[in-house]
Amino acid sequence: MRPGFSMIELLISVLVLSIGLLALTGASAVILRQITGGAQLGIAATVAQGRLERLRGEDCRLIAGGTSTERGITESWTVLRTAGRVEVVDSVSLRTRAGSRSWTFRSIISCPEIPR
């Protein structure tokens, strides 16, 4: 008799390998969605950061809310004035293949010229 693998052992090893490959395929799809979502969040955060930096450079009394749409990115910001500061809430929406995704960013700008 020659040493080797039996048919049952070969079928079991092919089954185990197939299950492993299916699990790897499913995991790669989840990882791809996570990477895409992270990239979209990065774009939204960059847009909001740019807006907040521009608003910080303005006179606090002139800061106002507004909207902007560029390259499929819609941005809407509101301003709330309180004693000695301005709170800005910036909402950023992106159009994706799967629909629209939105994120909200908040920042407080210190304004000594606004009376307390």
Side-chain angles (χ1 to χ4, degrees):
M1 183 169 246
R2 295 173 50 194
F5 298 105
S6 70
M7 186 60 85
I8 298 294
E9 291 171 328
L10 194 58
L11 286 174
I12 290 173
S13 65
V14 168
L15 179 67
V16 169
L17 180 65
S18 298
I19 291 171
L21 289 176
L22 285 173
L24 184 61
T25 303
S28 65
V30 170
I31 291 169
L32 182 62
R33 280 194 300 268
Q34 293 294 324
I35 289 171
T36 303
Q40 292 169 348
L41 175 58
I43 291 168
T46 301
V47 168
Q49 179 184 12
R51 174 67 55 201
L52 296 171
E53 290 298 327
R54 284 191 293 279
L55 293 175
R56 280 189 187 96
E58 291 185 18
D59 183 338
C60 286
R61 293 171 290 214
L62 301 177
I63 296 175
T67 60
S68 173
T69 302
E70 291 183 35
R71 296 179 291 161
I73 301 171
T74 302
E75 182 182 21
S76 173
W77 62 97
T78 58
V79 174
L80 174 64
R81 288 177 183 6
T82 58
R85 67 184 196 170
V86 172
E87 182 178 353
V88 180
V89 178
D90 192 353
S91 298
V92 180
S93 297
L94 298 173
R95 278 182 259 143
T96 65
R97 292 180 192 162
S100 182
R101 295 197 61 191
S102 297
W103 296 269
T104 302
F105 303 90
R106 296 176 186 274
S107 183
I108 295 175
I109 302 171
S110 178
C111 296
E113 62 266 17
I114 296 177
R116 292 184 181 262

